[in-house]
Amino acid sequence: MFPHLIRLSKLFQGFNYAVGQVDYMNHAADGVEYTPTFIVYKKGKKVDQFYGANAQQLYDHLWLHN
């Protein structure tokens, strides 16, 4: 998913992106049940969360919150 995330980060520049490697960062895995998990925050509040390695789904959610 990294190539898709990088491409979409150039398309949707209004977001800040962060990646947590849950295999190596145990504290980052709190609340993560599936990988990949994508979470969208607005003004510090979680507004969306979705799972799966589906590039179209990632695009759709970023477009929705853009």
Side-chain angles (χ1 to χ4, degrees):
M1 287 301 295
F2 281 117
H4 300 293
L5 186 61
I6 291 169
R7 180 178 54 82
L8 292 173
S9 71
K10 293 175 184 174
L11 184 61
F12 298 106
Q13 295 182 3
F15 292 100
N16 293 318
Y17 296 86
V19 176
Q21 293 289 342
V22 297
D23 295 333
Y24 306 106
M25 302 169 58
N26 292 335
H27 63 281
D30 291 342
V32 175
E33 297 179 23
Y34 307 103
T35 58
T37 295
F38 299 95
I39 304 172
V40 179
Y41 292 90
K42 279 192 179 178
K43 298 181 181 179
K45 294 188 179 197
K46 182 166 61 169
V47 296
D48 196 3
Q49 181 172 340
F50 56 99
Y51 315 98
N54 183 322
Q56 184 62 50
Q57 180 185 28
L58 178 58
Y59 173 88
D60 292 345
H61 284 265
L62 291 175
W63 177 85
L64 178 67
H65 296 288
N66 188 29

